[in-house]
Amino acid sequence: MTTGFFWDERCFWHSGGNYASTVPVGGLVQPLAAGGLPENPETKRRLKNLMDVTGLTRDLVVRSAEQASFDDLARVHPPEFLREFKRLSDSGGGELGLRTPFGQGGYEIAALSAGLSIAALDAVMRGEVTNAYALSRPPGHHCLPDFPNGFCLLANLSIAIRTAQARGLGKRFVVLDWDVHHGNGTEAVFLNDPDVLTISLHQDRNYPMDTGDIDVRGDGAGEGANMNIPLPPGAGHATYIEAMERLVLPAIRTFGPDAIVIACGYDAGAIDPLARMLATADTFRQMTRMVRELAEDLCDGRLMMAHEGGYSEVYVPFCGHAVLEEMSGSGITAPDPLAATFAARQPSARMEAVYSAYLDDLVAFFTPTG
């Protein structure tokens, strides 16, 4: 088993427009951060740093990628949107959507982030690696075709899937989004597509507050190919694992994909500033193991992940390391320094029973009758 790790230093240079210095220092050094945005380079940089310190990086196939081409981006995004994005980027930066500021060169960095996802999925589908992880930044799962949203400037995973389909590398894909926020952008791209099953496991009514309902099941030919699993705030490790076992894995098995793609956000982590869930590094490890084993059973192990959210600079690195340990089968570990603390803060047995009863209702809703 080989695991590809796709990253590029320049993705750390994405800046928040008015919220930070917009120009790389001397043209060659990451822009100076000025605060103001939860989405910043440090969570992802510290993951890469941790991997280098433990030695995990050496157990991976490390690559970069080219920027996604205009034609590849246009498989998801209207050309007029892309041209306006490029114009603003060249003129110093701006903001095209909601909570998506960018600085000079923002278009090129976003295209590089999308390019990492394209290359990671391409390598998996061609059998160059068993599975792959893209350390993409800026993230992508909130980006609508013509409206950037929630720190997401281009729809990275959607672009990667459409490109793989166009190259004849696969037809049927599952997107499992376990970022704590609803994957509204990915849902919008594939809502009418029966060949892409989108599953979002998210905190109910977090962000966006008006999407993510269970009754959005797809549209037209895509009816039944969208699955939203909103979890109540405070749901912890046991609830995430139960939701995977009872809802996510059966849906993927029934669909029978050519590959499984994961929007891998870590903001369900117990101390994330933008969420109120109680997942731990071991939660992400176990979910990864479940999906990896299912991919081995269904589609020759073809699994690709792209980094999405996660805003705790001290905890995201340990969650990401656990995921990559599990993907690669490496024996190199980074023990979770907060494991005992978070174990003591998990929901009580009474509350876990409440969450389990809630999942009973979801299972009943998604189970066909007649």
Side-chain angles (χ1 to χ4, degrees), residues 38-39 43-44 133 139 141-142 150-152 177-183 200-203 206-208 233-235 240 263-281 283-284 287 306-313 315-317 319-320 323:
E39 202 291 309
T43 52
K44 297 179 174 73
Y133 190 101
H141 75 139
H142 289 312
F151 311 142
C152 300
D177 187 334
W178 63 44
D179 187 284
V180 83
H181 305 106
H182 176 236
S200 180
L201 185 65
H202 54 270
Q203 181 182 324
N206 185 323
Y207 184 89
Y240 269 90
C264 185
Y266 299 104
D267 31 16
I271 52 173
D272 195 274
L274 299 189
R276 294 295 180 267
M277 305 304 257
L278 291 168
T280 68
T283 309
F284 292 105
M287 292 194 298
H307 198 115
E308 292 284 353
Y311 308 100
S312 170
E313 296 177 9
Y315 200 51
V316 165
C319 296
V323 164

Side-chain angles (χ1 to χ4, degrees), residues 264-321:
C264 185
Y266 299 104
D267 31 16
I271 52 173
D272 195 274
L274 299 189
R276 294 295 180 267
M277 305 304 257
L278 291 168
T280 68
D282 193 52
T283 309
F284 292 105
R285 181 194 306 279
Q286 290 193 36
M287 292 194 298
T288 300
R289 181 181 305 146
M290 290 174 171
V291 180
R292 178 180 57 77
E293 291 176 348
L294 184 61
E296 290 170 356
D297 190 33
L298 293 180
C299 49
D300 294 327
R302 288 188 291 270
L303 170 65
M304 178 265 185
M305 296 196 188
H307 198 115
E308 292 284 353
Y311 308 100
S312 170
E313 296 177 9
V314 299
Y315 200 51
V316 165
F318 293 96
C319 296
H321 200 284

